[in-house]
Amino acid sequence: MRKYMKYEIKGSYKFILGILSILIIASTIIQMNVSKFVEFDNINTPQNVTGFKGLMLFVSVLVIFGAFLTAFFHIIGSFKKELYEDRGYLTFTLPLTGNKILGAKLIVAIMWFAVLGIGTFLFNMLLAIILYGSEWLNIVKQALGMVNSVWISVVLISGLSAIMTLILIYFSMALSRVSIRNKKIGGLWFVIFLILNAVLSYIILKISGAIPYFINLSSFGISHYYELSMLPDFVTGAEQIILIDNNFNGYLNIASVLSHVLASVGAFLSTGYLIEKKIDL
C-alpha cells in the first residue's frame, strides 16, 4: 500500500505544486493590492477598490477559486482514470485488496487537499505579517481568542462532511462503472452522486431530529435539545446539526456525527468491494 501511495504521489505532485504556485501568485496580488488601501486604524470604515486594482482583485479571487476547483477535479479524476482508462489494468492487478487501493487513493487525496489549504493559509499569514507587522498579529490573536466550541464544532462537522463527500464520489464512480459498462457515458457517476448525496443528507437530518442529543466540545457535556437555551435566531428545530445557546456555546448533534462516520465507512467498504470483486477489466 505504501508503494502504491508513493506511485500516486509521484504521479501528481508536479500538478499540485503548479496549483500551489498559482494560489501563491494570486494571493500575493490580492494582499499587495489590499495592503495599499487598508488601514487597520480605520478597518471598520468601508473602503472602495475601483478601476484596475478592483479588476485585479476580482480576477485573483476567481483564479484562487478556479485553482482549488481544478485541483479537486484532478484529484478525484485520478480514480476515474483507474476505472475507465488502461492504467486500471495495472492498478487492479496489483496484489492489493480493494480497500487498500481505495485507502491509498483517499489518503493521498486528503493529503493534497491539506497541502493546498494549509500551504495557502500559511503563505498568506506570512505575507500578511510582512506587510502589516504587529497590527496584523494583534488581529490574529484576537481571532484566535474567539475560537470556541462553535468553531470547533463547525470545523469537525465540515471535515467529516468533506471526507464523506469524497468517499461518496468514489463510490458513485465505482457503482457507475459496474452498473453501466459503457465507457462513453461514464459521466453518469455525477448524477448518481447527486442523488446519493441528497438522499443521505436527508436521512442524516431526520436521524439528527429523531435523536436530539448534543455534545458541547468544550465541556464534553451531553444535553437533550429541550434542555438547551438557544439564541432566538438559531432556534430552527432539533434536527439541526449544530446549535448555539445564549452564551454562544456550540453543541454538536451526536447522532449526526455518528451517521457521518457510519455512512463514510459503509461507502468505503462498498467501494472497496466493487473494485475488488465487480470491476470487469
Side-chain angles (χ1 to χ4, degrees):
M1 184 173 170
R2 289 183 180 178
K3 291 182 179 178
Y4 182 61
M5 288 176 62
K6 290 180 180 177
Y7 170 77
E8 283 288 307
I9 293 172
K10 189 176 180 180
S12 55
Y13 81 93
K14 291 182 179 178
F15 181 85
I16 297 299
L17 290 179
I19 292 292
L20 187 59
S21 300
I22 293 173
L23 290 171
I24 288 175
I25 293 172
S27 298
T28 303
I29 293 173
I30 291 175
Q31 289 222 43
M32 293 298 289
N33 278 279
V34 171
S35 65
K36 295 178 180 177
F37 66 87
V38 168
E39 295 180 3
F40 284 95
D41 292 338
N42 301 315
I43 196 163
N44 294 322
T45 303
Q47 307 277 346
N48 293 322
V49 185
T50 58
F52 182 72
K53 291 180 180 178
L55 176 64
M56 289 298 293
L57 281 175
F58 179 70
V59 171
S60 298
V61 172
L62 288 182
V63 167
I64 290 177
F65 175 76
F68 272 109
L69 195 63
T70 302
F72 173 76
F73 281 110
H74 176 80
I75 291 171
I76 64 171
S78 170
F79 185 67
K80 185 181 178 183
K81 289 179 181 177
E82 305 287 4
L83 298 173
Y84 289 95
E85 296 183 6
D86 292 340
R87 58 183 285 180
Y89 288 101
L90 172 63
T91 302
F92 297 129
T93 52
L94 292 172
L96 295 173
T97 64
N99 288 339
K100 287 184 178 179
I101 292 174
L102 181 62
K105 286 278 185 186
L106 188 62
I107 292 172
V108 173
I110 293 174
M111 184 193 75
W112 284 142
F113 286 131
V115 167
L116 291 175
I118 296 174
T120 305
F121 174 77
L122 291 179
F123 173 79
N124 277 280
M125 290 292 292
L126 179 62
L127 184 59
I129 291 173
I130 294 173
L131 292 174
Y132 307 114
S134 59
E135 294 174 323
W136 172 255
L137 288 176
N138 290 333
I139 291 180
V140 172
K141 290 178 181 177
Q142 292 176 11
L144 291 175
M146 296 173 63
V147 174
N148 57 13
S149 55
V150 177
W151 290 103
I152 297 173
S153 299
V154 170
V155 170
L156 179 60
I157 202 65
S158 297
L160 288 175
S161 298
I163 293 173
M164 187 183 76
T165 299
L166 188 58
I167 298 176
L168 270 184
I169 289 174
Y170 288 153
F171 175 71
S172 301
M173 287 180 176
L175 185 61
S176 173
R177 177 68 175 84
V178 170
S179 58
I180 305 170
R181 300 182 185 278
N182 189 340
K183 297 182 180 181
K184 294 182 180 179
I185 54 176
L188 196 62
W189 71 265
F190 188 66
V191 178
I192 296 175
F193 164 72
L194 290 178
I195 296 173
L196 286 176
N197 191 48
V199 171
L200 198 55
S201 298
Y202 178 78
I203 292 174
I204 291 177
L205 197 64
K206 289 299 178 183
I207 292 175
S208 301
I211 311 175
Y213 285 92
F214 293 79
I215 182 171
N216 184 322
L217 295 180
S218 295
S219 62
F220 294 103
I222 297 176
S223 306
H224 191 278
Y225 171 74
Y226 295 112
E227 298 173 350
L228 301 174
S229 300
M230 296 294 105
L231 285 172
D233 292 341
F234 290 92
V235 177
T236 53
E239 68 277 3
Q240 294 300 304
I241 295 175
I242 298 175
L243 291 176
I244 302 174
D245 68 9
N246 290 326
N247 297 318
F248 290 95
N249 294 311
Y251 294 84
L252 192 57
N253 188 289
I254 299 172
S256 174
V257 173
L258 294 177
S259 298
H260 277 81
V261 173
L262 291 176
S264 300
V265 172
F268 180 91
L269 294 177
S270 299
T271 308
Y273 172 78
L274 288 176
I275 62 179
E276 184 176 343
K277 302 292 186 182
K278 299 296 182 181
I279 294 294
D280 183 10
L281 298 177

